[in-house]
Amino acid sequence: MSAKGKHRRPKQHRIARRLAFAGTGGAALALPLIGATTAGAAVTQPAVAPATSTLARPAVQPAVQPAAENAALPLTYSVVGGDTLSKIAADHSVSGGWQTLYADNRSAIGADPSVIRPGLTLRLGAATKAAAARATAVTAAAAKPAATYANNLDGWIRESLDIMARHGIPGSYNGIHRNVMRESSGNPLAINNWDSNAAAGIPSKGLLQVIDPTFRAYHVPGTAMDSYDPVANITAACNYAAARYGSIDNVNGAY
């Protein structure tokens, strides 16, 4: 079959179309060619804890999982040989530098800030406050619940748009919805069994009527490897449309 034929619908009466499932059917997506001395103290580093999400859709793929930090904040520091207030302040990001560190620990250090003995315990109050603020912000972000989507056309489009945004694939809700309604009337199980692609054994499937070779070529990671999966179908079709037409928004007919 010619290349042009892949992008055009045969001019047959609508009644002549046969779909295995309800829907208008659609055009196939054609596959294109394709101090003085130094020492340090150990500070516990943040641990990473993944968050999880569940999406209300058959054969759904897990959402990208954000990382949360649970930091054991440094409250004190024990001086070791070779330490200076400047080095300790720099190593532990003390706001205000060595002067603040000295002011917070003057009673323990004494009158001369240049003399600190090994074994002396210093309070890192300023550093602790900064670390606590960072940990609080990260924890709050991680605690935000993952997005959930309705198991219907509106939810499928919105989930696809979020995935597309993460992968830099252009497209709008209206552009996707308009093409879905023309190609399948919103039926994710629609299949075109009457055109040249069907005759070649690669019928157009799903919401945006994608043939399997195109689906595989433009499949987007993080979505199901199933051309009938509504989100996977939309996202792959939009990825193809972006490569060929600039965006699914530029598609207004058989493509």
Side-chain angles (χ1 to χ4, degrees), residues 95-139:
S95 179
W98 73 266
Q99 295 92 336
T100 298
L101 184 59
Y102 175 56
D104 290 344
N105 296 276
R106 185 183 182 111
S107 60
I109 297 172
D112 188 351
S114 66
V115 179
I116 53 175
R117 65 182 186 280
L120 179 65
T121 298
L122 302 179
R123 293 182 292 108
L124 303 179
T128 298
K129 291 177 182 178
R134 288 194 297 271
T136 299
V138 170
T139 300

mmCIF file of all heavy atoms in Angstrom, residues 95-139:
data_model
loop_
_atom_site.group_PDB
_atom_site.id
_atom_site.type_symbol
_atom_site.label_atom_id
_atom_site.label_comp_id
_atom_site.label_asym_id
_atom_site.label_seq_id
_atom_site.Cartn_x
_atom_site.Cartn_y
_atom_site.Cartn_z
ATOM 1 N N SER A 95 24.654 29.568 59.662
ATOM 2 C CA SER A 95 24.272 30.916 59.245
ATOM 3 C C SER A 95 24.966 31.935 60.142
ATOM 4 O O SER A 95 24.870 31.880 61.356
ATOM 5 C CB SER A 95 22.752 31.081 59.351
ATOM 6 O OG SER A 95 22.377 32.378 58.981
ATOM 7 N N GLY A 96 25.683 32.860 59.510
ATOM 8 C CA GLY A 96 26.416 33.850 60.288
ATOM 9 C C GLY A 96 27.875 33.488 60.486
ATOM 10 O O GLY A 96 28.636 34.259 61.084
ATOM 11 N N GLY A 97 28.273 32.303 59.976
ATOM 12 C CA GLY A 97 29.672 31.921 60.013
ATOM 13 C C GLY A 97 30.211 31.656 61.410
ATOM 14 O O GLY A 97 29.472 31.371 62.357
ATOM 15 N N TRP A 98 31.550 31.742 61.522
ATOM 16 C CA TRP A 98 32.190 31.405 62.782
ATOM 17 C C TRP A 98 31.799 32.341 63.910
ATOM 18 O O TRP A 98 31.773 31.966 65.083
ATOM 19 C CB TRP A 98 33.712 31.356 62.622
ATOM 20 C CG TRP A 98 34.372 32.721 62.470
ATOM 21 C CD1 TRP A 98 34.686 33.355 61.319
ATOM 22 C CD2 TRP A 98 34.781 33.574 63.529
ATOM 23 N NE1 TRP A 98 35.258 34.562 61.556
ATOM 24 C CE2 TRP A 98 35.344 34.730 62.937
ATOM 25 C CE3 TRP A 98 34.740 33.504 64.930
ATOM 26 C CZ2 TRP A 98 35.858 35.794 63.674
ATOM 27 C CZ3 TRP A 98 35.266 34.570 65.665
ATOM 28 C CH2 TRP A 98 35.816 35.693 65.059
ATOM 29 N N GLN A 99 31.458 33.601 63.541
ATOM 30 C CA GLN A 99 31.081 34.568 64.573
ATOM 31 C C GLN A 99 29.826 34.102 65.318
ATOM 32 O O GLN A 99 29.760 34.180 66.553
ATOM 33 C CB GLN A 99 30.856 35.954 63.955
ATOM 34 C CG GLN A 99 32.111 36.580 63.362
ATOM 35 C CD GLN A 99 32.285 36.274 61.889
ATOM 36 O OE1 GLN A 99 31.752 35.271 61.392
ATOM 37 N NE2 GLN A 99 33.022 37.123 61.181
ATOM 38 N N THR A 100 28.816 33.629 64.546
ATOM 39 C CA THR A 100 27.597 33.133 65.194
ATOM 40 C C THR A 100 27.874 31.867 65.988
ATOM 41 O O THR A 100 27.365 31.687 67.105
ATOM 42 C CB THR A 100 26.516 32.842 64.128
ATOM 43 O OG1 THR A 100 26.182 34.059 63.456
ATOM 44 C CG2 THR A 100 25.265 32.251 64.760
ATOM 45 N N LEU A 101 28.714 30.991 65.432
ATOM 46 C CA LEU A 101 29.068 29.760 66.140
ATOM 47 C C LEU A 101 29.768 30.091 67.458
ATOM 48 O O LEU A 101 29.494 29.473 68.494
ATOM 49 C CB LEU A 101 29.973 28.900 65.258
ATOM 50 C CG LEU A 101 30.376 27.526 65.795
ATOM 51 C CD1 LEU A 101 29.141 26.673 66.056
ATOM 52 C CD2 LEU A 101 31.313 26.824 64.823
ATOM 53 N N TYR A 102 30.634 31.076 67.413
ATOM 54 C CA TYR A 102 31.346 31.483 68.643
ATOM 55 C C TYR A 102 30.376 32.101 69.647
ATOM 56 O O TYR A 102 30.411 31.784 70.845
ATOM 57 C CB TYR A 102 32.459 32.472 68.302
ATOM 58 C CG TYR A 102 33.160 33.040 69.506
ATOM 59 C CD1 TYR A 102 33.766 32.205 70.455
ATOM 60 C CD2 TYR A 102 33.210 34.415 69.737
ATOM 61 C CE1 TYR A 102 34.413 32.710 71.569
ATOM 62 C CE2 TYR A 102 33.856 34.939 70.836
ATOM 63 C CZ TYR A 102 34.452 34.088 71.757
ATOM 64 O OH TYR A 102 35.089 34.607 72.865
ATOM 65 N N ALA A 103 29.490 32.959 69.133
ATOM 66 C CA ALA A 103 28.540 33.612 70.030
ATOM 67 C C ALA A 103 27.639 32.589 70.710
ATOM 68 O O ALA A 103 27.324 32.715 71.902
ATOM 69 C CB ALA A 103 27.698 34.621 69.250
ATOM 70 N N ASP A 104 27.236 31.555 69.979
ATOM 71 C CA ASP A 104 26.367 30.521 70.548
ATOM 72 C C ASP A 104 27.087 29.636 71.557
ATOM 73 O O ASP A 104 26.448 28.964 72.369
ATOM 74 C CB ASP A 104 25.791 29.641 69.427
ATOM 75 C CG ASP A 104 24.763 30.371 68.571
ATOM 76 O OD1 ASP A 104 24.279 31.428 69.012
ATOM 77 O OD2 ASP A 104 24.453 29.860 67.465
ATOM 78 N N ASN A 105 28.433 29.601 71.482
ATOM 79 C CA ASN A 105 29.193 28.692 72.351
ATOM 80 C C ASN A 105 30.279 29.404 73.154
ATOM 81 O O ASN A 105 31.212 28.767 73.642
ATOM 82 C CB ASN A 105 29.839 27.598 71.480
ATOM 83 C CG ASN A 105 28.829 26.706 70.797
ATOM 84 O OD1 ASN A 105 28.338 25.752 71.384
ATOM 85 N ND2 ASN A 105 28.511 27.014 69.544
ATOM 86 N N ARG A 106 30.153 30.727 73.323
ATOM 87 C CA ARG A 106 31.191 31.514 73.996
ATOM 88 C C ARG A 106 31.473 31.002 75.401
ATOM 89 O O ARG A 106 32.622 30.949 75.840
ATOM 90 C CB ARG A 106 30.774 32.984 74.043
ATOM 91 C CG ARG A 106 31.854 33.884 74.631
ATOM 92 C CD ARG A 106 31.400 35.332 74.730
ATOM 93 N NE ARG A 106 32.481 36.154 75.243
ATOM 94 C CZ ARG A 106 33.145 37.068 74.567
ATOM 95 N NH1 ARG A 106 32.809 37.282 73.293
ATOM 96 N NH2 ARG A 106 34.114 37.767 75.122
ATOM 97 N N SER A 107 30.426 30.622 76.115
ATOM 98 C CA SER A 107 30.624 30.178 77.493
ATOM 99 C C SER A 107 31.475 28.915 77.560
ATOM 100 O O SER A 107 32.228 28.699 78.521
ATOM 101 C CB SER A 107 29.280 29.929 78.175
ATOM 102 O OG SER A 107 28.552 28.929 77.488
ATOM 103 N N ALA A 108 31.386 28.063 76.530
ATOM 104 C CA ALA A 108 32.172 26.839 76.514
ATOM 105 C C ALA A 108 33.571 27.067 75.952
ATOM 106 O O ALA A 108 34.548 26.448 76.386
ATOM 107 C CB ALA A 108 31.460 25.770 75.686
ATOM 108 N N ILE A 109 33.683 27.970 74.966
ATOM 109 C CA ILE A 109 34.973 28.213 74.310
ATOM 110 C C ILE A 109 35.885 29.095 75.147
ATOM 111 O O ILE A 109 37.088 28.851 75.272
ATOM 112 C CB ILE A 109 34.754 28.839 72.919
ATOM 113 C CG1 ILE A 109 33.991 27.855 72.021
ATOM 114 C CG2 ILE A 109 36.071 29.233 72.279
ATOM 115 C CD1 ILE A 109 33.552 28.442 70.689
ATOM 116 N N GLY A 110 35.327 30.159 75.708
ATOM 117 C CA GLY A 110 36.120 31.112 76.461
ATOM 118 C C GLY A 110 36.335 32.389 75.681
ATOM 119 O O GLY A 110 35.692 32.623 74.652
ATOM 120 N N ALA A 111 37.253 33.193 76.117
ATOM 121 C CA ALA A 111 37.441 34.527 75.551
ATOM 122 C C ALA A 111 38.141 34.510 74.200
ATOM 123 O O ALA A 111 38.037 35.480 73.435
ATOM 124 C CB ALA A 111 38.233 35.404 76.529
ATOM 125 N N ASP A 112 38.883 33.462 73.878
ATOM 126 C CA ASP A 112 39.663 33.434 72.640
ATOM 127 C C ASP A 112 39.029 32.461 71.647
ATOM 128 O O ASP A 112 39.139 31.250 71.796
ATOM 129 C CB ASP A 112 41.096 33.007 72.936
ATOM 130 C CG ASP A 112 42.004 33.146 71.717
ATOM 131 O OD1 ASP A 112 41.481 33.417 70.612
ATOM 132 O OD2 ASP A 112 43.228 32.983 71.876
ATOM 133 N N PRO A 113 38.370 32.966 70.591
ATOM 134 C CA PRO A 113 37.701 32.083 69.626
ATOM 135 C C PRO A 113 38.665 31.250 68.786
ATOM 136 O O PRO A 113 38.252 30.309 68.120
ATOM 137 C CB PRO A 113 36.896 33.053 68.755
ATOM 138 C CG PRO A 113 37.630 34.343 68.868
ATOM 139 C CD PRO A 113 38.172 34.385 70.261
ATOM 140 N N SER A 114 39.960 31.607 68.797
ATOM 141 C CA SER A 114 40.934 30.857 68.008
ATOM 142 C C SER A 114 41.427 29.610 68.721
ATOM 143 O O SER A 114 42.154 28.804 68.126
ATOM 144 C CB SER A 114 42.136 31.747 67.654
ATOM 145 O OG SER A 114 42.854 32.104 68.822
ATOM 146 N N VAL A 115 41.027 29.450 69.983
ATOM 147 C CA VAL A 115 41.468 28.301 70.757
ATOM 148 C C VAL A 115 40.264 27.435 71.115
ATOM 149 O O VAL A 115 39.423 27.838 71.919
ATOM 150 C CB VAL A 115 42.198 28.742 72.049
ATOM 151 C CG1 VAL A 115 42.630 27.507 72.847
ATOM 152 C CG2 VAL A 115 43.398 29.608 71.717
ATOM 153 N N ILE A 116 40.170 26.278 70.473
ATOM 154 C CA ILE A 116 39.124 25.303 70.821
ATOM 155 C C ILE A 116 39.801 23.951 71.010
ATOM 156 O O ILE A 116 40.645 23.542 70.207
ATOM 157 C CB ILE A 116 38.020 25.207 69.747
ATOM 158 C CG1 ILE A 116 38.601 24.935 68.352
ATOM 159 C CG2 ILE A 116 37.189 26.478 69.710
ATOM 160 C CD1 ILE A 116 37.556 24.705 67.277
ATOM 161 N N ARG A 117 39.486 23.273 72.069
ATOM 162 C CA ARG A 117 40.173 22.026 72.392
ATOM 163 C C ARG A 117 39.380 20.820 71.880
ATOM 164 O O ARG A 117 38.152 20.820 71.868
ATOM 165 C CB ARG A 117 40.363 21.908 73.903
ATOM 166 C CG ARG A 117 39.069 21.789 74.686
ATOM 167 C CD ARG A 117 39.299 21.731 76.185
ATOM 168 N NE ARG A 117 38.063 21.488 76.914
ATOM 169 C CZ ARG A 117 37.161 22.404 77.205
ATOM 170 N NH1 ARG A 117 37.369 23.653 76.841
ATOM 171 N NH2 ARG A 117 36.060 22.082 77.875
ATOM 172 N N PRO A 118 40.118 19.767 71.485
ATOM 173 C CA PRO A 118 39.444 18.534 71.061
ATOM 174 C C PRO A 118 38.564 17.981 72.177
ATOM 175 O O PRO A 118 38.911 18.048 73.349
ATOM 176 C CB PRO A 118 40.613 17.584 70.762
ATOM 177 C CG PRO A 118 41.747 18.499 70.402
ATOM 178 C CD PRO A 118 41.588 19.678 71.312
ATOM 179 N N GLY A 119 37.409 17.479 71.777
ATOM 180 C CA GLY A 119 36.468 16.933 72.741
ATOM 181 C C GLY A 119 35.414 17.930 73.169
ATOM 182 O O GLY A 119 34.396 17.552 73.763
ATOM 183 N N LEU A 120 35.622 19.214 72.867
ATOM 184 C CA LEU A 120 34.647 20.244 73.222
ATOM 185 C C LEU A 120 33.385 20.063 72.372
ATOM 186 O O LEU A 120 33.460 19.876 71.163
ATOM 187 C CB LEU A 120 35.238 21.635 72.969
ATOM 188 C CG LEU A 120 34.330 22.842 73.259
ATOM 189 C CD1 LEU A 120 34.002 22.926 74.746
ATOM 190 C CD2 LEU A 120 34.999 24.134 72.779
ATOM 191 N N THR A 121 32.236 20.102 73.015
ATOM 192 C CA THR A 121 30.968 19.948 72.299
ATOM 193 C C THR A 121 30.380 21.310 71.980
ATOM 194 O O THR A 121 30.158 22.124 72.882
ATOM 195 C CB THR A 121 29.968 19.132 73.127
ATOM 196 O OG1 THR A 121 30.498 17.819 73.341
ATOM 197 C CG2 THR A 121 28.633 19.006 72.385
ATOM 198 N N LEU A 122 30.153 21.568 70.703
ATOM 199 C CA LEU A 122 29.593 22.838 70.256
ATOM 200 C C LEU A 122 28.156 22.647 69.792
ATOM 201 O O LEU A 122 27.814 21.634 69.188
ATOM 202 C CB LEU A 122 30.416 23.400 69.097
ATOM 203 C CG LEU A 122 31.904 23.639 69.349
ATOM 204 C CD1 LEU A 122 32.568 24.170 68.084
ATOM 205 C CD2 LEU A 122 32.110 24.611 70.506
ATOM 206 N N ARG A 123 27.342 23.628 70.101
ATOM 207 C CA ARG A 123 25.957 23.614 69.627
ATOM 208 C C ARG A 123 25.886 24.247 68.236
ATOM 209 O O ARG A 123 26.424 25.327 68.028
ATOM 210 C CB ARG A 123 25.047 24.381 70.592
ATOM 211 C CG ARG A 123 24.894 23.723 71.945
ATOM 212 C CD ARG A 123 23.948 24.496 72.865
ATOM 213 N NE ARG A 123 24.493 25.788 73.263
ATOM 214 C CZ ARG A 123 24.055 26.966 72.815
ATOM 215 N NH1 ARG A 123 23.042 26.993 71.941
ATOM 216 N NH2 ARG A 123 24.604 28.090 73.215
ATOM 217 N N LEU A 124 25.256 23.549 67.305
ATOM 218 C CA LEU A 124 25.123 24.052 65.936
ATOM 219 C C LEU A 124 23.696 24.542 65.722
ATOM 220 O O LEU A 124 22.992 24.106 64.814
ATOM 221 C CB LEU A 124 25.463 22.952 64.922
ATOM 222 C CG LEU A 124 26.860 22.332 65.058
ATOM 223 C CD1 LEU A 124 27.046 21.248 64.012
ATOM 224 C CD2 LEU A 124 27.941 23.390 64.919
ATOM 225 N N GLY A 125 23.252 25.436 66.557
ATOM 226 C CA GLY A 125 21.863 25.889 66.524
ATOM 227 C C GLY A 125 21.445 26.450 65.193
ATOM 228 O O GLY A 125 20.406 26.096 64.648
ATOM 229 N N ALA A 126 22.274 27.337 64.606
ATOM 230 C CA ALA A 126 21.910 27.970 63.344
ATOM 231 C C ALA A 126 21.832 26.947 62.224
ATOM 232 O O ALA A 126 20.927 26.958 61.400
ATOM 233 C CB ALA A 126 22.919 29.068 63.004
ATOM 234 N N ALA A 127 22.809 26.026 62.201
ATOM 235 C CA ALA A 127 22.805 25.007 61.152
ATOM 236 C C ALA A 127 21.594 24.097 61.294
ATOM 237 O O ALA A 127 20.971 23.690 60.321
ATOM 238 C CB ALA A 127 24.087 24.184 61.233
ATOM 239 N N THR A 128 21.238 23.783 62.544
ATOM 240 C CA THR A 128 20.095 22.915 62.799
ATOM 241 C C THR A 128 18.801 23.551 62.308
ATOM 242 O O THR A 128 17.957 22.913 61.712
ATOM 243 C CB THR A 128 19.990 22.603 64.303
ATOM 244 O OG1 THR A 128 21.153 21.911 64.704
ATOM 245 C CG2 THR A 128 18.776 21.738 64.582
ATOM 246 N N LYS A 129 18.639 24.846 62.553
ATOM 247 C CA LYS A 129 17.428 25.537 62.111
ATOM 248 C C LYS A 129 17.300 25.500 60.593
ATOM 249 O O LYS A 129 16.222 25.265 60.043
ATOM 250 C CB LYS A 129 17.444 26.976 62.605
ATOM 251 C CG LYS A 129 17.275 27.114 64.114
ATOM 252 C CD LYS A 129 17.378 28.576 64.537
ATOM 253 C CE LYS A 129 17.270 28.713 66.057
ATOM 254 N NZ LYS A 129 17.417 30.127 66.496
ATOM 255 N N ALA A 130 18.430 25.739 59.902
ATOM 256 C CA ALA A 130 18.384 25.729 58.438
ATOM 257 C C ALA A 130 18.057 24.333 57.918
ATOM 258 O O ALA A 130 17.238 24.165 57.015
ATOM 259 C CB ALA A 130 19.728 26.198 57.875
ATOM 260 N N ALA A 131 18.711 23.322 58.506
ATOM 261 C CA ALA A 131 18.460 21.947 58.072
ATOM 262 C C ALA A 131 17.023 21.545 58.368
ATOM 263 O O ALA A 131 16.378 20.852 57.576
ATOM 264 C CB ALA A 131 19.426 20.994 58.761
ATOM 265 N N ALA A 132 16.505 21.981 59.518
ATOM 266 C CA ALA A 132 15.132 21.648 59.884
ATOM 267 C C ALA A 132 14.141 22.265 58.908
ATOM 268 O O ALA A 132 13.154 21.641 58.525
ATOM 269 C CB ALA A 132 14.840 22.133 61.304
ATOM 270 N N ALA A 133 14.426 23.496 58.475
ATOM 271 C CA ALA A 133 13.532 24.159 57.523
ATOM 272 C C ALA A 133 13.523 23.414 56.187
ATOM 273 O O ALA A 133 12.470 23.217 55.580
ATOM 274 C CB ALA A 133 13.977 25.604 57.311
ATOM 275 N N ARG A 134 14.729 22.980 55.746
ATOM 276 C CA ARG A 134 14.800 22.246 54.483
ATOM 277 C C ARG A 134 14.070 20.911 54.591
ATOM 278 O O ARG A 134 13.335 20.515 53.691
ATOM 279 C CB ARG A 134 16.270 22.022 54.095
ATOM 280 C CG ARG A 134 16.999 23.272 53.626
ATOM 281 C CD ARG A 134 18.302 22.893 52.949
ATOM 282 N NE ARG A 134 19.219 22.224 53.867
ATOM 283 C CZ ARG A 134 20.109 22.853 54.639
ATOM 284 N NH1 ARG A 134 20.175 24.178 54.613
ATOM 285 N NH2 ARG A 134 20.911 22.163 55.433
ATOM 286 N N ALA A 135 14.289 20.201 55.696
ATOM 287 C CA ALA A 135 13.651 18.899 55.872
ATOM 288 C C ALA A 135 12.133 19.026 55.943
ATOM 289 O O ALA A 135 11.399 18.204 55.411
ATOM 290 C CB ALA A 135 14.176 18.227 57.133
ATOM 291 N N THR A 136 11.659 20.087 56.597
ATOM 292 C CA THR A 136 10.217 20.308 56.703
ATOM 293 C C THR A 136 9.604 20.545 55.328
ATOM 294 O O THR A 136 8.539 20.018 54.998
ATOM 295 C CB THR A 136 9.923 21.501 57.620
ATOM 296 O OG1 THR A 136 10.437 21.216 58.923
ATOM 297 C CG2 THR A 136 8.427 21.769 57.702
ATOM 298 N N ALA A 137 10.308 21.345 54.505
ATOM 299 C CA ALA A 137 9.796 21.639 53.172
ATOM 300 C C ALA A 137 9.745 20.383 52.309
ATOM 301 O O ALA A 137 8.772 20.137 51.591
ATOM 302 C CB ALA A 137 10.682 22.693 52.500
ATOM 303 N N VAL A 138 10.798 19.550 52.381
ATOM 304 C CA VAL A 138 10.841 18.318 51.592
ATOM 305 C C VAL A 138 9.764 17.346 52.043
ATOM 306 O O VAL A 138 9.074 16.716 51.244
ATOM 307 C CB VAL A 138 12.238 17.663 51.693
ATOM 308 C CG1 VAL A 138 12.215 16.271 51.073
ATOM 309 C CG2 VAL A 138 13.274 18.528 51.011
ATOM 310 N N THR A 139 9.597 17.225 53.364
ATOM 311 C CA THR A 139 8.597 16.309 53.905
ATOM 312 C C THR A 139 7.194 16.731 53.489
ATOM 313 O O THR A 139 6.350 15.912 53.145
ATOM 314 C CB THR A 139 8.684 16.252 55.440
ATOM 315 O OG1 THR A 139 9.998 15.806 55.805
ATOM 316 C CG2 THR A 139 7.655 15.296 56.007
#
